[in-house]
């Protein structure tokens, strides 16, 4: 376990002791993720290629003698306690519309609600334990996944808590079931209209591999990255411009995608190809068409990236990453000046490719960089930010790492 991981475990343990006066019964953790390519394709039932990162959220957990759930987080000074039976009266009302639950607590409590919903449906079909038999739990959460940087700190929380509750409640949930619980919590308890990519990456990630995911079928395949052998690094440039998925811009983009699919008479934009874009342009207003064009071409870029990784290796994907950024900047219009500056300054000093990553309107960019040039790229980006009068970015490298698991 790395020093950062140990520190996160220590923070979760200390928080748990402060809340309960006893040591936790166990630790569960899940990672954030970097999306290598495939942005805003997930909720359009398309393709994505994320990977789990080493930065993780840790949940220190133990059972209680009653049917209460209590959560504490390093993000808040106060714990929140709710009866398990009351979760169904709180959710699915989105965060902000129920004063009993602050925003940070909607994530772990929303996961508990989603687990109970799934378990109830399974119990009605004769499998798994009934939710009214679940014991109460105490959960303390700490994380070293940067918040608001587009690295899916929310999916890391959801994955760690969902796996912990699955084990404590003897549900044996794994893979796509855990990811679906996280998405249900994010969509219906928090109110963020996201797809399932983040949760699948956080659940299924493996070292030195990306998760090639078909968001319609949830079929997932690991694709080796080979960064170490190629002497390349993925540099993350956190602009420190915070974003929030539950705000309007994300929902507006999703609505435009649904409108475009309806105009073209298909279930989702996944069903269109680049060859369909000429007809789409003739039928749509300019904004809707450009939103559609981004998704359709981005789906193709994901497929092309997987093909290149398998045939040529990771050195061949740089131009695809850069093209993805241009599409998000110009067609989907979710970039910001800080993200554009990060991409442009990294490319100017030799990055093989660069793009913003995550939902947009802030967050982080990534750059594919020669190992020996990481320092030079980092210095160039910082200098460009300083010249533009932006807040100094947080720059670090990430490695493809393991998904959610119970820690020793």
């Amino acid at each position: 376990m790395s020093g950062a991981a140990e520190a996160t475990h220590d923070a979760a343990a200390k928080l748990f002791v402060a809340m309960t006066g006893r040591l936790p019964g166990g630790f569960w953790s899940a990672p954030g993720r970097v999306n290598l390519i495939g942005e805003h394709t997930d909720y359009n039932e398309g393709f994505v290629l994320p990977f789990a990162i080493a930065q993780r959220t840790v949940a220190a957990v133990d059972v209680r003698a009653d049917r209460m759930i209590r959560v504490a987080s390093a993000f808040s000074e106060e714990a929140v306690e709710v009866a398990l039976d009351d979760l169904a009266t709180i959710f699915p009302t989105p965060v902000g519309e129920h004063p009993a639950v602050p925003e940070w607590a909607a994530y772990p409590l929303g996961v508990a609600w989603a687990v109970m919903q799934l378990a109830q449906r399974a119990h009605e079909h004769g499998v798994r334990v009934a939710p009214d038999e679940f014991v109460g739990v105490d959960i303390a959460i700490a994380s070293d996944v940067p918040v608001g940087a587009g690295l899916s700190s929310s999916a890391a929380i959801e994955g760690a808590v969902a796996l912990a509750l699955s084990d404590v409640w003897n549900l044996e949930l794994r893979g796509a079931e855990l990811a679906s619980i996280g998405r249900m919590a994010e969509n219906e308890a928090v109110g963020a209209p996201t797809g399932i990519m983040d949760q699948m990456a956080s659940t299924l990630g493996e070292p030195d591999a990306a998760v090639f995911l078909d968001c319609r079928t949830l079929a997932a395949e690991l694709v080796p990255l080979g960064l170490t052998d190629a002497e390349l690094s993925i540099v993350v440039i956190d602009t420190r411009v915070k974003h929030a998925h539950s705000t309007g811009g994300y929902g507006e983009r999703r609505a435009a995608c649904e409108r475009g699919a309806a105009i073209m008479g298909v279930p989702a934009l996944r069903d269109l190809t680049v060859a369909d874009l000429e007809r789409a342009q003739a039928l749509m207003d300019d904004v809707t068409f450009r939103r559609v064009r981004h998704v359709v071409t981005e789906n193709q870029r994901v497929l092309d990236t997987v093909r290149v990784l398998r045939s040529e290796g990771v050195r061949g994907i740089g131009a695809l990453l850069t093209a993805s950024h241009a599409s998000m900047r110009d067609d989907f219009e979710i970039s910001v000046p800080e993200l554009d500056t990060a991409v442009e300054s990294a490319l100017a000093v030799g990055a093989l490719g660069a793009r913003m990553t995550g939902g947009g309107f802030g967050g982080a960019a990534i750059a594919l960089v020669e190992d020996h040039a990481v320092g030079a790229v980092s210095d160039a980006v910082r200098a460009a930010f300083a010249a533009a009068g932006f807040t100094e970015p947080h720059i670090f490298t990430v490695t493809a790492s393991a998904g959610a698991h119970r820690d020793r």
Side-chain angles (χ1 to χ4, degrees):
M1 188 182 294
S2 68
E6 287 186 9
T8 307
H9 277 79
D10 288 346
K14 290 177 181 176
L15 190 61
F16 189 92
V17 171
M19 177 175 66
T20 68
R22 67 184 192 281
L23 292 172
F27 296 90
W28 288 258
S29 69
R33 65 97 188 94
V34 160
N35 192 21
L36 188 62
I37 195 165
E39 224 65 75
H40 289 265
T41 50
D42 59 345
Y43 56 81
N44 288 294
E45 300 184 11
F47 303 100
V48 292
L49 191 65
F51 62 89
I53 60 178
Q55 289 81 354
R56 304 179 73 85
T57 291
V58 175
V61 181
D62 202 5
V63 297
R64 298 168 54 112
D66 54 21
R67 281 180 52 81
M68 304 294 291
I69 179 169
R70 178 169 50 173
V71 293
S73 168
F75 300 113
S76 176
E77 295 181 356
E78 294 185 6
V80 175
E81 188 170 16
V82 176
L84 290 176
D85 297 324
D86 288 343
L87 290 174
T89 68
I90 297 173
F91 303 115
T93 306
V95 64
E97 297 179 23
H98 200 294
V101 178
E103 182 174 3
W104 71 265
Y107 290 92
L109 293 178
V111 166
W113 166 75
V115 170
M116 294 179 72
Q117 295 294 305
L118 183 148
Q120 181 60 41
R121 290 195 294 269
H123 179 67
E124 290 169 359
H125 289 86
V127 295
R128 294 186 174 147
V129 180
D132 59 11
E133 298 178 30
F134 291 169
V135 296
V137 287
D138 286 318
I139 304 172
I141 298 167
S143 180
D144 65 353
V145 182
V147 176
L151 303 182
S152 202
S153 56
S154 58
I157 294 171
E158 292 153 6
V161 173
L163 183 56
L165 292 177
S166 170
D167 288 353
V168 167
W169 290 339
N170 297 313
L171 296 173
E172 299 182 352
L173 304 174
R174 293 295 182 270
E177 283 186 312
L178 289 173
S180 295
I181 285 167
R183 178 175 61 175
M184 183 176 177
E186 188 127 4
N187 290 174
E188 300 183 38
V190 179
T194 58
I196 201 169
M197 172 188 67
D198 297 350
Q199 292 82 7
M200 289 291 280
S202 185
T203 300
L204 300 177
E206 292 288 347
D208 195 34
V211 179
F212 176 38
L213 175 65
D214 181 333
C215 294
R216 169 170 286 170
T217 66
L218 298 188
E221 183 178 350
L222 293 173
V223 179
L225 292 172
L227 288 163
T228 300
D229 290 345
E231 298 182 332
L232 295 175
S233 294
I234 300 289
V235 176
V236 175
I237 305 157
D238 178 4
T239 66
R240 301 185 189 270
V241 177
K242 302 301 182 186
H243 68 180
H245 279 173
S246 53
T247 54
Y250 193 106
E252 290 168 6
R253 300 310 187 277
R254 184 162 185 164
C257 293
E258 293 169 352
R259 185 166 62 249
I263 290 170
M264 295 296 286
V266 294
L269 295 183
R270 147 71 174 274
D271 299 296
L272 302 180
T273 68
V274 173
D276 294 311
L277 290 176
E278 183 176 356
R279 183 167 71 94
Q281 187 170 22
L283 296 174
M284 299 174 190
D285 63 88
D286 178 64
V287 171
T288 302
F289 170 69
R290 287 188 292 110
R291 304 298 188 250
V292 168
R293 182 169 60 183
H294 163 71
V295 173
V296 172
T297 58
E298 186 81 344
N299 267 327
Q300 187 60 53
R301 281 186 288 270
V302 174
L303 298 175
D304 290 344
T305 300
V306 171
R307 174 181 53 79
V308 170
L309 283 169
R310 289 170 171 162
S311 61
E312 304 173 30
V314 69
R315 284 186 170 274
I317 69 171
L320 291 162
L321 302 183
T322 304
S324 173
H325 182 78
S327 181
M328 290 185 285
R329 180 192 64 210
D330 301 334
D331 278 352
F332 224 60
E333 295 183 289
I334 54 174
S335 190
V336 295
E338 289 87 346
L339 287 168
D340 294 337
T341 297
V343 168
E344 292 160 8
S345 55
L347 292 171
V349 292
L352 278 65
R355 64 185 287 273
M356 60 151 282
T357 186
F361 310 104
I366 58 172
L368 182 64
V369 178
E370 302 275 1
D371 287 344
H372 65 78
V374 170
V377 168
S378 301
D379 290 344
V381 171
R382 289 191 182 95
F385 270 54
F390 299 148
T391 300
E392 182 178 359
H394 179 211
I395 302 176
F396 53 97
T397 60
V398 290
T399 56
S401 301
H405 56 69
R406 182 171 183 172
D407 299 337
R408 289 189 300 167

